[in-house]
Amino acid sequence: PYNRSSDFFNKNIRDYEYKAIVDLALDALDYDDIVLLNAPFTQEVRDAAYMDGLRARLVPKHARLVIIWIDAASEVCRKRMEQRQSDRDTWKLTHWEQYLKTTSFEPPSSIDDPHDKHDLLLFHNSTQHEFRESMARVLPILEK
């Protein structure tokens, strides 16, 4: 079954997929000064060594890492998964309680540098109001 949380996916696909995403992003920095990656990085974002390595790879590009943590209630996430009707969500929706046990909705505070107020940005997105407020707050930071 199509399960992006399966042992097969984690062993044979996941790391290569993330490596390709990061390599493409680093290449894109040769053409623009803002590159956004839309990927969960669920394991990596909580791994200080991985994040330090990524930051080091950004130095020659004169770029810095800004993590945007999307904060939404788990019930909202489930409803949005149901609405998008993607095959990639079938396993999660069918095994919702099991999925929730393996997923942290808490921001990765271990990588938040207290000396850099813009390294970890919280983007609240459970309602339209939260979305609009977060866009108004986060976009100017990214455009600096």
Side-chain angles (χ1 to χ4, degrees):
Y2 187 38
N3 176 1
R4 295 177 64 89
S5 299
S6 71
D7 290 338
F8 176 85
F9 181 84
N10 287 329
K11 181 179 178 185
N12 298 292
I13 299 170
R14 188 183 189 287
D15 291 345
Y16 299 108
E17 184 177 69
Y18 276 80
K19 182 183 180 324
I21 291 169
V22 170
D23 288 348
L24 284 169
L26 290 169
D27 287 348
L29 284 169
D30 293 336
Y31 303 97
D32 203 341
D33 60 348
I34 296 176
V35 175
L36 298 174
L37 299 181
N38 181 8
F41 287 90
T42 52
Q43 295 169 25
E44 295 78 4
V45 77
R46 297 183 191 285
D47 180 344
Y50 179 90
M51 300 311 283
D52 288 345
L54 183 52
R55 284 185 187 96
R57 292 180 70 189
L58 291 170
V59 170
K61 302 283 188 174
H62 306 287
R64 67 185 191 101
L65 179 64
V66 176
I67 298 165
I68 303 171
W69 183 264
I70 309 298
D71 175 49
S74 61
E75 314 82 58
V76 172
C77 293
R78 181 182 176 103
K79 184 176 180 180
R80 290 175 180 164
M81 283 183 197
E82 290 170 346
Q83 290 173 337
R84 74 179 171 195
Q85 298 181 349
S86 172
D87 288 343
R88 67 190 291 169
D89 297 327
T90 302
W91 185 90
K92 294 173 192 172
L93 291 169
T94 305
H95 303 89
W96 188 251
E97 293 305 316
Q98 184 179 349
Y99 168 69
L100 286 180
K101 289 177 185 174
T102 64
T103 304
S104 175
F105 286 82
E106 295 300 316
S109 59
S110 63
I111 60 163
D112 189 11
D113 181 351
H115 304 293
D116 183 352
K117 65 180 181 175
H118 296 146
D119 67 330
L120 176 63
L121 303 176
L122 296 182
F123 191 102
H124 303 289
N125 191 17
S126 288
T127 66
Q128 279 294 86
H129 174 75
E130 286 183 353
F131 176 85
R132 286 190 296 272
E133 186 280 330
S134 291
M135 286 295 281
R137 181 177 41 79
V138 168
L139 277 179
I141 294 168
L142 295 177
E143 292 174 336
K144 281 185 185 180

